[in-house]
Amino acid sequence: MKKRWRFRSHDPARLAQLAGATGLPPFLVQMLLARGLSEPHRAQEFLEARLTQLREPEELPGIPAAAERIAAALEAGERIVVYGDYDVDGMTGTALLCQCLKMLGGDVGFYVPNRMDEGYGLNDEALRTLAEQGARLIITVDCGAASYDQAQTARQLGLDMIVTDHHQFADRLPECVAIVHPRLPGHGYPFGDLSGSGVAFKLAWAVCQRASRAKKVGERMRNFLMQAIGLAALGTVADVVPLLDENRILVRHGLISLRERPSPGLAALLQVAGLADKQRLDSEDIGFALGPRLNACGRLGQAQLGCELLMTSSAERAQTLAEYIDQLNGSRQSLERSVYLAANKQAQEQFDPENDAALVLADYGWHPGVIGIVAGRLAEKFHRPVVLIALDEVGAKPGMGSARSIPGYDLHQALRACSEVLLSHGGHAAAAGLKIDPRQLDTFRDLLCEHAAAERSGPDRQPELWIDAEAPLGAFTFKTLDQLEQMAPFGAGNQRPLLCATGVRLAEPPRRIGSGSRHLSLVVQQGETRLRGVSFGNGDWADELAAVDQPLAIACRPVINEFRGRRAVELQVVDWRLADAPVESLTDGSASRAAG
């Protein structure tokens, strides 16, 4: 779907003022202003992202009571079970809490539900099994906020429960020892977007402080926390929460930790992902290489292996697990391609762009572990919220659905509005899961489309591309990009700057590359400057671009590609159009302008 290009406007006087106050180069200041960082102290804090800017853990709602109960369990030698989610955020948070409690002498185990058999979150049968096995304290990670009924089951079984989570609450809060959550009702924690692993890291930090009887922990615990911050960074990036405030700090320092002090499991994972020799890791390495491999474990029902990889102290076992997980990721990619082709075909046949404000697609044989990825790809392609539902071929189980949204549309609220025809649902604004009786599919589709149409209309139906600035290809130098890297880590809430170059021509015919020819490789030229570019997921552009014999405008993110000791400036091409196509410049009511 064609995107509407919009240029961010800039106030030259404000730019000069901030550049003078900070001593930063004007190009970097322009990018900071585009992100609302107009005050010198805020801009400096953003760029520095110091560990000392993290809030003390006891400020997080629920942590004092949780740390006290954990300390009592450790002293009494009670069996503690960390009950985590099966995605990367859950696995990393589970691993770091288990390691923390074992370091402090705890009798600790972990439990991660099977995605296909049990689904997301706490379930009564698992709690009964854990109680029978001697557990006395359950600590959830990345789940539990909406588990009122399961908390009641735990109480009946004599289990104490601590919930650590960051997801949406249900109508009633679970009754338990403590709920550690950045958005706990009745509290005013300043940053509500911590990931599940970020919340777990804060709890581990508080437990270490309590064990040290001081805010400054001992050397052994400090070394543990500095390694654990790498796990928190991994979960934070993989869960696509905004890389702002504390998340930004955790990821900035966690990337250094992953590179300089990886556990045996993470060292092996870096090796199979081809990142072991990279001098500096970035958030894209997590998003495109490490995260997908770990997520493959959960998607294919083997999340416990991901947890084991993150916790093992054996280099040999780590290597075996990493290689197997790499193979699982290959299987996941194959399943994903198959489901995408079928779902995309179904969407093309059923989708009415004038009337359908959402897409609900369903079929037999779709693997429930990959439908969320495919839903995300289709949501981006059609700029609509998308729900994919895997139907049971035998008909013995309900349909399992995964939903992905677009900016400005709250999926959690949408599913609540459709809850009368759903067996269950959960998640947050951008991503959610559900179970449904297949006989209710048509009704659910109508309800969701009606809700989405009421929430979004007119221009909102067309995706927008916000461009930070226009620059010639010759401006994309190592010096300029090193300046931009000061704004890293990049990701949700802090995207890598998107720039526009106009009057560009293709120097070579574009080529499809990658598995399934999904991606596009191209070489562009402007004057004497020639640069290679890659457009991920846009291999379909090849034929259309090859037929163009006019100057282009390209929207791209310039990056430094490091490969086998060689550094080169390359472009991540996000969109293209003919150079004389109109774009909009606004935020301050500026007039329209044309690229080129």
Side-chain angles (χ1 to χ4, degrees), residues 18 22 24 28-29 31-51 53 242-250 252-253 483-497:
L18 186 59
T22 61
L24 296 170
L28 180 58
V29 170
M31 300 302 107
L32 293 172
L33 287 173
R35 284 149 184 78
L37 297 165
S38 58
E39 300 174 16
H41 74 280
R42 289 188 61 220
Q44 290 289 5
E45 286 180 354
F46 178 85
L47 294 175
E48 292 169 358
R50 301 185 309 274
L51 278 175
Q53 293 171 6
L243 297 190
L244 303 171
D245 203 280
E246 292 188 293
N247 289 341
R248 174 176 172 78
I249 299 166
L250 290 171
R252 167 75 70 85
H253 294 274
Q483 291 174 351
L484 288 183
E485 283 300 319
Q486 294 181 61
M487 298 179 62
F490 298 113
N494 180 41
Q495 294 291 337
R496 188 178 288 275

Side-chain angles (χ1 to χ4, degrees), residues 30 64 110 112 171 190 198 228 268 306 364 383 405 417 452 496 537 547 563 589:
Q30 190 173 357
F110 73 91
V112 180
D171 295 332
Y364 298 94
H383 194 61
S405 193
R496 188 178 288 275
F563 184 69

Side-chain angles (χ1 to χ4, degrees), residues 91 110 112 294 297-298 300-312 317-318 320-322 324-325 328:
M91 283 187 269
F110 73 91
V112 180
L294 283 172
C297 298
L300 300 186
Q302 301 189 56
Q304 73 280 1
L305 294 183
C307 291
E308 184 184 349
L309 174 75
L310 297 175
M311 288 187 274
T312 185
R317 178 61 175 163
T320 299
L321 286 169
Y324 179 68
I325 287 170
L328 281 181

Side-chain angles (χ1 to χ4, degrees), residues 103-400:
M103 176 185 64
L104 298 175
D107 177 11
V108 186
F110 73 91
Y111 185 89
V112 180
N114 183 290
R115 185 182 192 122
M116 270 68 75
D117 297 334
E118 299 172 87
Y120 169 76
L122 294 163
N123 68 82
D124 291 343
E125 185 176 347
L127 291 172
R128 292 190 187 96
T129 299
L130 295 174
E132 290 170 1
Q133 293 173 348
R136 288 294 172 265
L137 175 62
I138 304 293
I139 307 173
T140 75
V141 172
D142 198 32
C143 62
S147 299
Y148 177 85
D149 291 339
Q150 289 72 32
Q152 295 297 102
T153 298
R155 294 183 68 181
Q156 293 165 9
L157 292 168
L159 294 170
D160 278 354
M161 181 182 292
I162 294 170
V163 168
T164 79
D165 201 357
H166 70 130
H167 290 99
Q168 296 274 8
F169 293 101
D171 295 332
R172 293 184 293 181
L173 297 180
E175 297 177 3
C176 53
V177 172
I179 302 175
V180 183
H181 195 296
R183 296 185 188 273
L184 187 65
H187 296 74
Y189 193 67
F191 183 63
D193 289 321
L194 284 171
S195 66
S197 54
V199 172
F201 176 81
K202 287 280 190 134
L203 178 57
W205 182 7
V207 170
C208 286
Q209 285 183 330
R210 190 175 184 91
S212 301
R213 302 183 186 280
K215 288 188 180 296
K216 186 174 181 179
V217 303
E219 182 178 0
R220 180 167 172 246
M221 295 180 197
R222 183 184 184 280
N223 289 337
F224 160 74
L225 290 171
M226 290 306 297
Q227 188 175 64
I229 204 171
L231 289 171
L234 186 48
T236 296
V237 173
D239 218 49
V240 202
V241 291
L243 297 190
L244 303 171
D245 203 280
E246 292 188 293
N247 289 341
R248 174 176 172 78
I249 299 166
L250 290 171
V251 174
R252 167 75 70 85
H253 294 274
L255 288 167
I256 297 171
S257 174
L258 288 172
R259 179 69 187 85
E260 295 182 353
R261 54 178 86 195
S263 65
L266 285 171
L269 193 65
L270 288 166
Q271 185 69 45
V272 299
L275 299 172
D277 297 327
K278 193 173 182 186
Q279 294 302 306
R280 183 177 63 183
L281 296 176
D282 55 42
S283 54
E284 289 93 340
D285 292 324
I286 292 178
F288 295 106
L290 301 180
R293 284 172 168 80
L294 283 172
N295 250 333
C297 298
R299 293 187 182 282
L300 300 186
Q302 301 189 56
Q304 73 280 1
L305 294 183
C307 291
E308 184 184 349
L309 174 75
L310 297 175
M311 288 187 274
T312 185
S313 58
S314 166
E316 183 178 356
R317 178 61 175 163
Q319 189 63 36
T320 299
L321 286 169
E323 290 173 359
Y324 179 68
I325 287 170
D326 193 47
Q327 294 171 11
L328 281 181
N329 190 50
S331 299
R332 186 272 306 169
Q333 291 173 325
S334 178
L335 288 167
E336 179 191 333
R337 284 194 297 272
S338 175
V339 173
Y340 177 80
L341 289 172
N344 185 52
K345 182 175 184 293
Q346 190 179 128
Q348 298 284 2
E349 293 171 349
Q350 298 180 5
F351 179 51
D352 179 356
E354 294 299 322
N355 298 308
D356 293 341
L359 274 170
V360 177
L361 310 171
D363 207 347
Y364 298 94
W366 287 354
H367 195 290
V370 301
I371 54 175
I373 308 174
V374 176
R377 289 176 60 185
L378 293 177
E380 183 176 357
K381 178 176 181 176
F382 292 101
H383 194 61
R384 300 288 192 279
V386 174
V387 183
L388 256 65
I389 299 172
L391 301 175
D392 182 29
E393 293 180 289
V394 180
K397 298 179 181 179
M400 296 183 65

